Structure formats: structure tokens, C-alpha cells
């Protein structure tokens, strides 16, 4: 019956009648979820399957505080204005206790501001911009995934070892790409004085002119390239770069490219030898991940993606949070979030009291072609707690509430 309620609520059908006639509906805790499902389906399809699996596990084990969790989700059309509109609908019409989700950084920032204005707890599952927990941070907003700063910091040691002087930069021209490149330039310049950034290509999100971008990079003759493109833009860039020989003799460092959401669509065209952050789903051998992977494959008949882990961990965070708080009162949830710890498919994480950022980490390695498709090799896991700025630096960036 819980599955029936879940489907009807999200299709907009018979909600009032069903809730009014079903006595057990009053014994649910409503959680709102906002995301760009139609625009970013490659990541968010697996993400949704992840939180659905986690939700089923939580409710099959008795729920939280004696009640089932119920997720009511909405699509934000990858638009900050729509994200705020549907969040307000979830708050006023559906009476959700908190919200989670977000994919693009600019929609995540919109929800961050909304959470502050409406005094509603928001767990940013995927948006990576540092501003969510630093410059625009507030008491109501928390973040799961490692930020742009954290993921860039994971790549810096390998970049420094290579000691390349002339760098080219390519990124999507919106908050995520801008902040990632700014952080890369800052951290690499500190670690390797004298480094030069000789060309910068900022492309419209989802509308890359791959030919002109590759030509501009090639003309500048960089020794190495830092890439932040993802999705279809990444595939077009790699294809054009391979065709024109852009990557030959150059080292490439790339955020997120080791995630199967982005490697798999490229097939045999996937880049080789790039330094990346990502998710080597088929090679992680830990009890936590093995259990998650087996359950996911049994439920869906397919292997998990990075989004699957993020979705699953998001709803598990929420269950742990409400259990620790002992209620869904906003003030109680905020107090409980500080120092909240729980296990994940990547091991234990903690939400830092300094900035509401979790210590969820990422895998760093290199790309290779294995049996005609891209995979991560030579990888290792970096705990998010190990790639944070000092507490003093965080305090200086984070506004007083």
C-alpha cells in the first residue's frame, strides 16, 4: 500500500481522496524532493532509483519514529525560478517536513536561499558549488556530495607531481564550472608557483561548439588541460578532441568524468589516461559497497551509477537525521544535523558543524578503455574530511546568520 500511495501522490491523482480514506496516511512523514529529472536524466534516473531503494528499506524496517517516510518529488525544469515555485508548493500544499535534492548549482543556490527565507531544512544532494555551504551558507542548508573545492583539491596532488606549466581550461559557463575553475587556478597556483593558464574556454551549458573549443585549446599549445564539462557536452568535446589529436602528448584532469553516467555513453571513444574523480562501481570491494551493489542489482537488474549512491545516501541521511532529532520540528532537525554521522556505501560520513558540509568523499584515478568501454583504474578513495580548508578560512567565508 505504501508503494501505491507513493505513485499516486507523484502522479497528482486522487491525493485528497486517498489520504482522507486511508487511515495509515496520517502516520507518514512527508519529505519533499526537487530536481531536474527531465533535463538531467542520465544522472537523475539512477539517483531516483537510489532514493526509492533506500526509502523501501527504511519503511520495510519500521520507518522512522514509528512512521513511514513518504517522498513527494517535483521537477524543476533545470530552472531556479521553477525550483522555488515547486518547493513552495511542497511546503504549503503538501506540508512536507523538509526538502532535499537539486542537481545544477544555480538551482541548488536558489533552494539554499529559499530554505533560509522560509526557515525550512534543505539537504542539497548533488549541487557542487562551494557557495551552498560557504558564501551563501545558512543554518537551514546542508550538503551531501563533496563540493567543487573538495573534488578539485583531490586532483591537485597529481597535477603538481606532473609539474606542467601551461594549462588550458574548459568548463560550462555557469556557477559550477566557474567555481571549479576558480578553485583549480587558486589551489594549483599556491602549490606550484609560476604556473600559467594560457587559454580559457567557457561554453554555454548543453550547447558546446566543440570544434571551436578544441581549436582554441589547440592553438594555445597548453601542456595540460583542466576540464569541467560533463554530459553531452563532454561527449562532444572528447569526440572532437580525439579527431583533431588535441589530447595527444597532453595530460588532462577532469571532474566527474570517471562516473559511469558520463563514461558509458562515450563507449569506445572514452578518453584514456585522464586523471578524474568518479565512481568505479565494479571494482570497489568493501562490505558496505558490496551490500549496496548487490541490493541495487537485485532490485533493478542493472548496476548502480554515481547518482544511485547519492540518491540512496540522501534518503538514509534524512532517516538518520529524523531519528536523531526525535521529531520533524525544524529547530530539532537543525540541531541534530550538527555532527550527524551514519554509514553509506562509501563508509561512514559526518555532517560538519563548521559549515553543514558532509565528509562524503570520492574516488580519484585514471581512465582507461577496458573491453571497449571507459573505466576507472588505479583509483583510491579520498575521505571528504581530508580535503577541507581550515576552520578559520571557512568562518571567514561563511556569513553570520
Amino acid at each position: 500500500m505504501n508503494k501505491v500511495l507513493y505513485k499516486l501522490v507523484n502522479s497528482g491523482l486522487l491525493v485528497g481522496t486517498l489520504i482522507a480514506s486511508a487511515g495509515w496516511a496520517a502516520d507518514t512523514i512527508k519529505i519533499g524532493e526537487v530536481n531536474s529529472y527531465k533535463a538531467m536524466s542520465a544522472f537523475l534516473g539512477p539517483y531516483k532509483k537510489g532514493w526509492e531503494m533506500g526509502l523501501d528499506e527504511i519503511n520495510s524496517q519500521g520507518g522512522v519514529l514509528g512512521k513511514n517516510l513518504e517522498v513527494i518529488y517535483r521537477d524543476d525544469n533545470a530552472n531556479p525560478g521553477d525550483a522555488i515555485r515547486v518547493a513552495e508548493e511542497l511546503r504549503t500544499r503538501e506540508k512536507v517536513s523538509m526538502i532535499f535534492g537539486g542537481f545544477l548549482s544555480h538551482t541548488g543556490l536558489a533552494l539554499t536561499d529559499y530554505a533560509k527565507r522560509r526557515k525550512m531544512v534543505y539537504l542539497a544532494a548533488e549541487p557542487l558549488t562551494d557557495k551552498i555551504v560557504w558564501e551563501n551558507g545558512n543554518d537551514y542548508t546542508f550538503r551531501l556530495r563533496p563540493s567543487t573545492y573538495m573534488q578539485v583539491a583531490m586532483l591537485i596532488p597529481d597535477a603538481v607531481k606532473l609539474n606542467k606549466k601551461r594549462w588550458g581550461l574548459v568548463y560550462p559557463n555557469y556557477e559550477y564550472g566557474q567555481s571549479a575553475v576558480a578553485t583549480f587556478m587558486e589551489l594549483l597556483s599556491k602549490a606550484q608557483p609560476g604556473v600559467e593558464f594560457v587559454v580559457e574556454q567557457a561554453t554555454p551549458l548543453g550547447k558546446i561548439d566543440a570544434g571551436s573549443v578544441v581549436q582554441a585549446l589547440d592553438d594555445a599549445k597548453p601542456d595540460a588541460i583542466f576540464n569541467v564539462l560533463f554530459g553531452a557536452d563532454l561527449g562532444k568535446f572528447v569526440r572532437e578532441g580525439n579527431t583533431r589529436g588535441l589530447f595527444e602528448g597532453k595530460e588532462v584532469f577532469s571532474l566527474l568524468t570517471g562516473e559511469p553516467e558520463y563514461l558509458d555513453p562515450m563507449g569506445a571513444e572514452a578518453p584514456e589516461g585522464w586523471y578524474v574523480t568518479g565512481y568505479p562501481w565494479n571494482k570497489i570491494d568493501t562490505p558496505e559497497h558490496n551490500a549496496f551493489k548487490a541490493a541495487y542489482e537485485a532490485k533493478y537488474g542493472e548496476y548502480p551509477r554515481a547518482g544511485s549512491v547519492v540518491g540512496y545516501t540522501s534518503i538514509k541521511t534524512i532517516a538518520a537525521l529524523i531519528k536523531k532529532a526525535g521529531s520533524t520540528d525544524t529547530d530539532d532537525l537543525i540541531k541534530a544535523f550538527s555532527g550527524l554521522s551514519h554509514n553509506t556505501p562509501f563508509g561512514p560520513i559526518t555532517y560538519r558543524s563548521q559549515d553543514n558540509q558532509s565528509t562524503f568523499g570520492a574516488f580519484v584515478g585514471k581512465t582507461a578503455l577496458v573491453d571497449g568501454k571507459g573505466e576507472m583504474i588505479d583509483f583510491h578513495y579520498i575521505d571528504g574530511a581530508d580535503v577541507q580548508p581550515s576552520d578559520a578560512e571557512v568562518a571567514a567565508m561563511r556569513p553570520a546568520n
Side-chain angles (χ1 to χ4, degrees):
M1 293 193 64
N2 288 339
K3 187 172 290 186
V4 173
L5 172 64
Y6 166 78
K7 289 182 177 178
L8 288 173
V9 166
N10 283 287
S11 65
L13 300 173
L14 303 177
V15 175
T17 302
L18 180 60
I19 291 177
S21 62
W24 44 262
D27 292 327
T28 64
I29 296 172
K30 291 185 177 183
I31 307 297
E33 203 277 340
V34 179
N35 239 311
S36 308
Y37 288 105
K38 289 179 286 188
M40 300 292 170
S41 59
F43 188 94
L44 293 174
Y47 163 87
K48 183 170 176 286
K49 288 180 178 178
W51 66 249
E52 286 176 332
M53 186 176 88
L55 185 68
D56 287 348
E57 289 180 3
I58 292 162
N59 289 340
S60 68
Q61 295 166 7
V64 184
L65 306 182
K67 298 182 178 182
N68 281 348
L69 293 186
E70 175 188 338
V71 173
I72 306 171
Y73 70 94
R74 295 288 184 267
D75 198 297
D76 61 20
N77 298 310
N79 182 285
D82 285 350
I84 292 173
R85 177 180 57 79
V86 297
E88 182 69 1
E89 175 190 323
L90 289 168
R91 185 184 72 88
T92 59
R93 184 183 303 175
E94 302 295 348
K95 309 296 183 185
V96 299
S97 298
M98 62 174 287
I99 57 175
F100 75 107
F103 180 84
L104 296 170
S105 287
H106 59 316
T107 57
L109 283 171
L111 291 171
T112 297
D113 180 66
Y114 175 84
K116 181 179 180 180
R117 288 189 291 108
R118 294 302 190 190
K119 294 180 170 53
M120 169 171 273
V121 172
Y122 166 47
L123 172 61
E126 172 63 23
L128 301 183
T129 175
D130 302 313
K131 291 181 179 179
I132 285 177
V133 294
W134 291 346
E135 292 92 337
N136 293 34
N138 59 68
D139 288 345
Y140 301 90
T141 301
F142 302 79
R143 199 229 313 271
L144 170 62
R145 280 207 82 179
S147 67
T148 53
Y149 178 97
M150 295 163 69
Q151 297 209 37
V152 168
M154 294 175 186
L155 291 174
I156 290 295
D158 285 324
V160 172
K161 287 177 185 177
L162 295 177
N163 196 34
K164 300 297 181 180
K165 184 175 183 179
R166 294 168 54 84
W167 284 82
L169 309 168
V170 57
Y171 59 96
N173 194 19
Y174 79 110
E175 173 59 34
Y176 161 62
Q178 294 162 3
S179 63
V181 163
T183 299
F184 182 79
M185 294 172 70
E186 177 187 355
L187 295 183
L188 187 59
S189 295
K190 287 181 180 178
Q192 185 183 326
V195 68
E196 299 176 7
F197 302 100
V198 297
V199 60
E200 185 172 329
Q201 289 291 293
T203 71
L205 179 63
K207 299 178 181 179
I208 187 175
D209 181 350
S212 64
V213 168
V214 168
Q215 188 63 56
L217 289 167
D218 197 42
D219 288 346
K221 300 295 187 288
D223 302 320
I225 296 170
F226 177 64
N227 168 69
V228 196
L229 299 173
F230 63 94
D233 286 342
L234 172 65
K236 293 174 183 177
F237 173 64
V238 169
R239 185 175 301 113
E240 193 69 23
N242 285 339
T243 299
R244 301 195 186 196
L246 172 66
F247 310 123
E248 294 176 8
K250 298 181 183 71
E251 303 292 352
V252 181
F253 285 70
S254 191
L255 290 187
L256 310 181
T257 303
E259 296 180 358
E261 286 90 334
Y262 309 128
L263 274 180
D264 289 356
M266 291 188 281
E269 293 182 315
E272 294 190 85
W274 286 21
Y275 293 81
V276 298
T277 60
Y279 173 47
W281 65 271
N282 57 336
K283 297 176 181 176
I284 303 170
D285 187 16
T286 63
E288 302 95 338
H289 186 265
N290 290 341
F292 165 78
K293 178 174 171 288
Y296 191 92
E297 290 176 336
K299 186 174 182 66
Y300 297 116
E302 62 184 40
Y303 57 85
R305 276 70 168 179
S308 313
V309 180
V310 175
Y312 180 84
T313 304
S314 295
I315 197 67
K316 291 290 189 170
T317 285
I318 291 169
L321 171 68
I322 296 172
K323 180 179 180 180
K324 180 182 176 184
S327 80
T328 56
D329 176 79
T330 296
D331 289 340
D332 291 341
L333 292 176
I334 291 173
K335 292 176 184 176
F337 239 136
S338 179
L340 176 71
S341 296
H342 70 93
N343 207 13
T344 79
F346 292 172
I349 63 170
T350 299
Y351 286 84
R352 292 158 37 104
S353 59
Q354 303 97 311
D355 54 11
N356 298 348
Q357 170 69 49
S358 93
T359 59
F360 199 62
F363 292 86
V364 173
K366 299 183 76 172
T367 57
L369 282 178
V370 180
D371 297 327
K373 62 182 293 188
E375 290 190 4
M376 280 183 72
I377 62 170
D378 301 332
F379 62 85
H380 60 284
Y381 182 73
I382 298 181
D383 192 304
D386 297 332
V387 282
Q388 298 285 354
S390 69
D391 289 352
E393 290 174 301
V394 168
M397 290 185 288
R398 193 172 166 86
N401 289 295

